[in-house]
Amino acid sequence: MDRTPHLLVVDDDREIRNLTSQFLTRHGYRVSTARDGAEMLKTLEAARVDLIVLDLMLPGEDGLSLCRRLRAGSATAAIPIVMLTAMGEETDRIIGLEMGADDYLAKPFSPRELLARIKAVLRRVAAPQAVGGEAAAKVLRFEGWSLDVAKRELRSPDGVLVQLSAGEYDLLVAFVEHPQRVLTRDQLLDLARGRAAVPFDRSIDVQVSRLRRKIEPDPADPTLIKTVRGGGYLFTAPVTVGP
């Protein structure tokens, strides 16, 4: 990104907001803060935001509901979201990913770990624009679908634009760039998120489920993204690349 990335930290704990904002500002980001959903929405109306750090537990409308609302809005559907969850609450993390969060971090968290997650997500979002010439203009096609890498747009065989979260987009790119090849969960996590798996990390399974609901004719009986027992996942369709 040529301009300074604008981050929005949404947390009802003033100390966490202030410390996180100061830390991220020292590392070169422009940071806004909000204590609840109402303040978050006001900020989004007033300014362009490149990534949201969203706490799960908020007064009033909680983080899960806000995440769902962001993903349903045309102007906010593609904004990356890193969700903060309570330590050990795997169910909350899974639900957060189901709602469309791109990554999660358990509280209490290391600011440096949060910084690393933010950098990884922003790097993935900016990657297509950073590539010049033919590579940036490529369109990946499979079973009538087309994925425009430069625009980060997925269109159905009928030409309908399908909204993808940053996490869903990254996962789809990992699949279409490695078609007809079994990819383990660890490989997918590395390809799609740029980080190693941790024990019992089910985030890839959740993202696969979300992606299936958007591209499979019957998500309950998938034909494009097959589960390989004990192995991982297989993207079955042949992929062609064109301008």
Side-chain angles (χ1 to χ4, degrees):
M1 293 183 180
D2 294 330
R3 63 186 185 84
T4 301
H6 183 194
L7 312 180
L8 174 57
V9 177
V10 186
D11 198 302
D12 64 323
D13 187 309
R14 178 185 298 177
E15 184 176 4
I16 290 178
R17 286 199 311 272
N18 291 342
L19 291 176
T20 303
S21 175
Q22 292 167 12
F23 179 82
L24 294 174
T25 299
R26 287 200 304 271
H27 284 82
Y29 294 100
R30 176 188 170 201
V31 184
S32 296
T33 63
R35 62 182 176 181
D36 56 22
E39 289 190 358
M40 178 193 79
L41 295 173
K42 285 182 181 178
T43 302
L44 291 172
E45 289 174 359
R48 173 180 170 181
V49 171
D50 298 293
L51 183 143
I52 300 172
V53 179
L54 180 61
D55 187 27
L56 177 69
M57 301 299 294
L58 292 171
E61 192 171 3
D62 65 23
L64 293 177
S65 177
L66 289 170
C67 185
R68 185 191 300 111
R69 185 196 290 211
L70 291 169
R71 288 293 173 250
S74 59
T76 58
I79 299 176
I81 298 171
V82 176
M83 184 163 281
L84 303 178
T85 69
M87 177 66 77
E89 294 297 331
E90 183 188 18
T91 300
D92 288 341
R93 294 196 294 270
I94 292 172
I95 295 175
L97 293 168
E98 282 280 7
M99 293 300 103
D102 298 290
D103 208 343
Y104 61 83
L105 197 59
K107 285 184 170 182
F109 60 87
S110 159
R112 293 193 176 278
E113 177 66 13
L114 176 61
L115 177 64
R117 299 290 179 92
I118 289 171
K119 284 183 175 180
V121 173
L122 291 177
R123 187 166 56 245
R124 296 197 306 270
V125 171
Q129 289 75 23
V131 179
E134 185 177 327
K138 74 178 179 181
V139 176
L140 302 166
R141 296 185 173 88
F142 59 93
E143 297 293 323
W145 293 81
S146 61
L147 183 65
D148 189 316
V149 176
K151 296 180 179 178
R152 296 177 67 89
E153 289 183 351
L154 175 67
R155 291 192 179 272
S156 72
D158 298 329
V160 176
L161 182 64
V162 178
Q163 292 285 359
L164 296 176
S165 71
E168 292 161 0
Y169 170 84
D170 293 332
L171 182 60
L172 181 57
V173 169
F175 277 128
V176 297
E177 289 188 341
H178 302 83
Q180 301 175 318
R181 168 182 163 187
V182 176
L183 296 173
T184 67
R185 288 169 177 80
D186 285 0
Q187 287 174 319
L188 285 168
L189 194 59
D190 181 54
L191 289 167
R193 298 197 182 175
R195 65 178 175 87
V198 297
F200 311 113
D201 191 332
R202 295 176 55 192
S203 59
I204 288 297
D205 299 317
V206 176
Q207 293 284 24
V208 167
S209 177
R210 284 182 57 87
L211 192 54
R212 280 172 170 165
R213 292 200 291 269
K214 295 188 175 182
I215 68 173
E216 294 278 6
D218 180 6
D221 185 21
T223 57
L224 288 174
I225 305 175
K226 289 279 194 182
T227 300
V228 179
R229 188 176 297 277
Y233 293 99
L234 171 69
F235 191 76
T236 62
V239 178
T240 58
V241 181

